[in-house]
Amino acid sequence: MSLIKEIDYGTPASKSEETVSLKIDGFDVTVPAGTSVMRAAMETGIAIPKLCSTDMVDAFGSCRLCLVEIEGRRGTPASCTTPVADGMVVSTQTDKLKTLRRGVMELYISDHPLDCLTCAANGDCELQDMAGAVGLRDVRYGYDGGNHVKTRDGVGEVNARYLPKDESNPYFTYDPSKCIVCSRCVRACEEVQGTFALTIEGRGFESRVSPGSFGDDFLGSECVSCGACVQACPTATLQEKSIYDIGQPEHSVVTTCAYCGVGCSFKAEMRGEELVRMVPYKDGKANHGHSCVKGRFAYGYASHKDRVLNPMIREKITDPWREVSWEEALGFAASRLRRLQANYGQDSIGVITSSRCTNEETFLVQKLARAVFGNNNTDTCARVCHSPTGYGLGQTFGTSAGTQDFDSVEDVDVALVIGANPTDGHPVFASRLKKRLRQGAKLIVIDPRRIDLVRTPHVAASHHLALRPGTNVAVVTALAHVIVTEGLYDEAFIRERCDWDEFQDYAAFAAEPANSPETVEALTGVPADAVRKAARLYAKGGNAAIYYGLGVTEHSQGSTTVIGLANLAMMTGNIGRRGVGVNPLRGQNNVQGSCDMGSFPHELPGYRHVNNADVRDIFEKAWGVPIQDEPGLRIPNMLDAAVDGTFKGLYCQGEDILQSDPDTKHVSAGLAAMECVIVHDIFLNETANYAHVFLPGSTFLEKDGTFTNAERRINRVRRVMSPKAGYADWEVTQLLANAMGGNWNYTHPAEIMAEIAATTPSFANVTYELLDEEGSVQWPCNDKTPEGTPIMHVDGFVRGKGRFIRTDYVATDEKTGPRFPLLLTTGRILSQYNVGAQTRRTENVVWHEEDVLEIHPHDAELRGVKEGDWVKLQSRSGETSLRAKITDRVSPGVVYTTFHHPATQANVITTDFSDWATNCPEYKVTAVQVSPSNGPTDWQEEYESFSRQARRVEAAE
């Protein structure tokens, strides 16, 4: 193994289809029109010296190192800013150029500290490399430049020019003495990330990079710690602290991030088995070399002291844990599960698969239920997040997944973002969206909160429809009303691609006065004029794409809203090409894959119903066992059945349902009623408080496999270090299956993928060899589309004709009133992820050390609440306390919090109301009251005490 060095072509690639031919240093070169001379040379294998140029940002032309001579032109133009032309003859190495470049480098080096041997960038410094490339041997101006200043000058006086290192950011350091003012970091922050947090202060040799306004440090600035500036920096000015601590890496492995559903590719750069840093991989088709603070830096949980590395068991949850061997733990678990089935029936146990584990691991867990347990009691966390996506898009389009790839955003003219907060939940995609918006695309935001996208540097939404929580269906149908009644629909598309009679029925429904913007304004709180303008923009603004998140699906009418969004796309013809579509932003790294793999109780892998005999036959032949033809239990059903005494055993891999699922008290009651709860995870999570067996898990760094992201992209996950607990998760599941008589004999995840491909049509041609060759593919990947399918429904819908379905608005049963006058909605924050089990064990807690309650100033004043006060948040289900954050990001009557910290247990507040079609919980609409508090509630203190008791581990003898 060696360090993967990606070629930096100096400037971005041209997308022109026209080509240009020229000569560079005597070589014939043909490149797309608009390509820079620098890039054309690099594509030929000729590296022109450069410092201010990198192919992640547009050409800048400031360093004057990349000069070339062009036949017939005067002077020595910069190759980065000079486009190629037909017949151009370029020389990159002449005596004149050599002299000029050495002169430029002399100026740089005269003002740069020469502590190369002790510099963190030694061996990975472009300034060092360029000095060698131009043959610099002497500096006529001396080596006493302004950047060599010390705390005190030569006579002991305080030196006003001295600037100390900025160590405020937990992950990287800023050393102003080493800055060459190439502006690459500033441009990366603007062009790649879109935050505009950095600037250049001063002039000439006094110039320095500055984070925000004068005097700010990086931590206190608007910097979001995405790492783009660090990656762009050619010296040690911006450098990962891990490089200071460990040294330069010596080999790297390309793998996939295990956080959100964007699915970013990274180079895990290593020294032996120690991870030095994660570097975004430029060939990653989902992220193209960009990252966020979580994927780039928040990997420390993998080596955190809280990790459990030995199996543990206990007879009762009131007992302390006892560390045992793998053999004893698996034997204990298997015997308990067999006994439960013998005593209570075959259907008395089940599994919950993980959206954080690989496709292969998830496939095995649902196979464990069906082929070993002999039932269909398998479910996944998608039940509580995106199950309405599967139902709604399946009913309308015929497939349960997003329609476009992320690259499609480059052709969007109008983006409709509803119930999603991409800058916090899917930041790499958000950066691409913001870039497109800065280029002129229009934005419609439908959200109760004023999310960052509504107004952020150089981006502003054309329309923000700040609807009342729970009224999504009414707003979406009102948009359809305008499109229908004003004749803005695409009749040709509908007649060709959809059922015209179904459309006419839906159009008649949408056109009813009850669905007009004026009528629904009283329900939604959104001005009718704003709805009409947004509808017109979506229908007639060009390529229109819908991006939605959990603010759509986590409602009692989540499935109805998804259907409504599909209706909007079909009626306007915004489906089946680049720049359009209906795109769910999946929350977790493999939530799409966990659904694809058959984790739902009614579906086998590939979204095929268990009552389909032909489908069952495929798996019965492959597995050699009969498969039940009736759906099993969903997660809520498992908990209900446990309370009723009929469901007794659960194998829960990589999910923390006690913290993530709604109505915490009901979840805890269900878990407490079970006689064997097996938790398979890397930490003793909240669910483990009720567990009898704990099987230590492995992180994404310790396993091979695949993740499937929100755009259906199947990405390789590659092992970069040995599993700290001894086994990868797929191996643990296999050991449990075999302890129960499964007789499985997989030796590598590639064999599991082969079984998936053999039994699941959309994965038919997927192999590790194909993924290694292509980098990634998007399903369906089969004989019809051997290289995958970036865009769905191009010539026709999967189901044949697109189906329009009426979207009646039915108000949630959760109502506000005198006791509970406010509406609570929940979500995520940039620095944290899901239940926080991973990110809370990293330095990301610097930005979010506790969950807080966002409350509007008007509501806070009515209750005598001030910024930072403890407040009690109470609903019909429970109560908790947390600190208040007073902000106008929420509307009056709406409060908002996150659920990243178990000390808050925000889901003790949420109710058991759920989506009518899928049982997806209604996290986004809970009637609450907020009142001043003195601190944690009695329930929180009792829960904390219980958790401490439940985590006791017997001392080793």
Side-chain angles (χ1 to χ4, degrees), residues 3 5-6 8 47-51 65 101-102 105 108-109 112 116 121-137 180 184 233-236 248 277:
L3 205 60
K5 290 285 190 181
E6 296 174 88
D8 188 338
I48 299 174
K50 59 183 173 59
L51 278 174
L65 200 62
R101 288 174 184 156
R102 284 178 188 146
M105 283 303 301
Y108 275 114
I109 297 302
H112 193 82
C116 296
N122 188 19
D124 186 30
C125 173
E126 292 181 46
L127 186 68
Q128 198 177 58
D129 294 341
M130 290 305 106
V134 304
L136 184 68
R137 298 295 176 261
I180 60 172
R184 277 165 54 165
C233 182
T235 66
Q248 291 293 335
R277 63 183 174 187

Side-chain angles (χ1 to χ4, degrees), residues 150-164:
K150 305 297 181 185
T151 311
R152 297 182 179 276
D153 64 18
V155 294
E157 296 295 323
V158 172
N159 195 332
R161 293 193 301 158
Y162 173 75
L163 289 174

Side-chain angles (χ1 to χ4, degrees), residues 436-450:
R436 180 62 188 146
L437 295 173
R438 293 196 301 273
Q439 292 169 346
K442 304 298 183 184
L443 174 65
I444 302 165
V445 173
I446 304 178
D447 200 287
R449 294 174 74 228
R450 194 185 73 246

